């Protein structure tokens, strides 16, 4: 669920930039930070899944 929210946020930030409501340059820091957080979330999810698989709980 968290991953989906970060992914959706990225899409909205892109759409806002493309629409011209806010200049893309002003959104770039927000977009980049969101992507970095998304990468950390995905990495955490992968780690948990791998641990579950290795412990044979999944």
């Amino acid at each position: 669920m968290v991953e989906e929210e970060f992914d959706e946020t990225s899409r909205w930030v892109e759409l806002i930039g493309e629409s011209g409501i806010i200049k893309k340059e002003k959104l770039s820091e927000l977009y980049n930070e969101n992507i970095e957080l998304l990468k950390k979330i995905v990495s955490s999810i992968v780690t948990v899944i791998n641990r579950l698989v290795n412990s044979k709980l999944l």
Side-chain angles (χ1 to χ4, degrees):
M1 181 178 210
V2 173
E3 177 188 1
E4 291 173 13
E5 294 298 324
F6 276 104
D7 192 41
E8 184 177 350
T9 299
S10 295
R11 277 187 250 125
W12 277 107
V13 171
E14 287 175 347
L15 288 171
I16 291 169
E18 290 171 5
S19 72
I21 295 171
I22 299 174
K23 292 181 181 181
K24 288 183 182 181
E25 297 81 30
K26 290 191 175 199
L27 294 171
S28 65
E29 186 177 337
L30 175 63
Y31 180 81
N32 291 336
E33 185 174 336
N34 189 71
I35 293 298
E36 288 304 312
L37 290 170
L38 178 60
K39 288 177 184 178
K40 290 177 182 181
I41 294 298
V42 170
S43 177
S44 295
I45 292 168
V46 168
T47 299
V48 168
I49 290 171
N50 285 336
R51 286 183 181 171
L52 288 172
V53 168
N54 290 333
S55 68
K56 298 181 183 178
L57 294 175
L58 186 67

